[in-house]
Amino acid sequence: MFPFFTKARHLAEYAAVKALAMGINLLPIQRMTVLMRTVAAVLFALFPSRRRTVIQNLDIAYGNALSPGEKKAIAKECYENVLIATAELARLPKVRNDARSRFELEGLSDFEAGFAKGKGVICVLAHFGSWEYTSFLAYLTGHPATVLVRPVKNPYIFRWIQSLRKCTSLSPVDRSHTLRMLLGELRQNHIVAVLVDQWSGHRGLWLDFFGRPTSTTSLPARLAKKTGATLLPVICIRTRPGNYKIFV
């Protein structure tokens, strides 16, 4: 009985998300951006406990260097960025069609120098800017890329998200894959991308982050040490609605 209701709930969630994605794709990018900012403002107002968490994190990061009003403004912009970045994922196939006119790439000399060594490139990513669109670095330069992702609880939504990511010739794999597979990708002089701003559990690498201990992954460093691959941070910034700049 319970598996039946779980499956029914997952299918209902999937149908709702797909319907929302269809609506997002029907809107011009400017109107989609305005809509996401409006939704972000509503969510910011409706969920005080989540809002307090964001403000508390900003207190840790900035201390007394910023006023409460300035921290609140940053928190609102964080909500907006997450909503816009989520909507951008749904628009990924549409953006791909004219990607060369939408994206500017900076820092390619270090990037290509890594491939010249023949040992692959490890891209260190974070949930910063338009993080899903960092995949266009591989798409626009023609280098095969694999990225480690965390599965979402709804398997139907997860498969759909994975299919969107594959639109840029990206190979998204979950963290159950072995280290051997990632080493194989680097030995073929490919890209391996890892998001490092996620909780890695008690067995992760513990470091001070704004003076507080937290756990992150040591995987990029271990891969680089093992293979001699070039290790580079990559971010994608939204310069205006529908246009982006990728920094290596």
Side-chain angles (χ1 to χ4, degrees), residues 52 54-64 71:
R52 281 194 296 271
V54 177
I55 297 296
Q56 287 168 359
N57 285 332
L58 290 169
D59 286 338
I60 293 171
Y62 289 102
N64 296 322
K71 291 173 186 174

Side-chain angles (χ1 to χ4, degrees), residues 125-155:
L125 313 178
H127 292 90
F128 187 93
S130 298
W131 64 86
E132 291 285 356
Y133 282 8
T134 54
S135 62
F136 279 99
L137 175 64
Y139 179 74
L140 293 171
T141 58
H143 292 289
T146 296
V147 62
L148 287 186
V149 298
R150 285 187 177 178
V152 298
K153 292 182 179 179
N154 187 315

Side-chain angles (χ1 to χ4, degrees), residues 5 20 28-29 49 68-69 75 95 101 130 143 184 192 194 199 212 217 233:
F5 285 114
L20 181 60
I29 186 67
S49 62
V95 171
S101 65
S130 298
H143 292 289
V192 168
V194 184
W199 172 253
R212 303 289 185 94
T217 178

Side-chain angles (χ1 to χ4, degrees), residues 91-100 102-103 136 139 166-168:
R91 296 177 67 92
L92 199 152
K94 183 178 288 189
V95 171
R96 179 197 57 188
N97 293 336
D98 54 354
R100 295 196 181 278
R102 291 182 179 275
F103 286 86
F136 279 99
Y139 179 74
K166 291 175 183 177
C167 285
T168 55

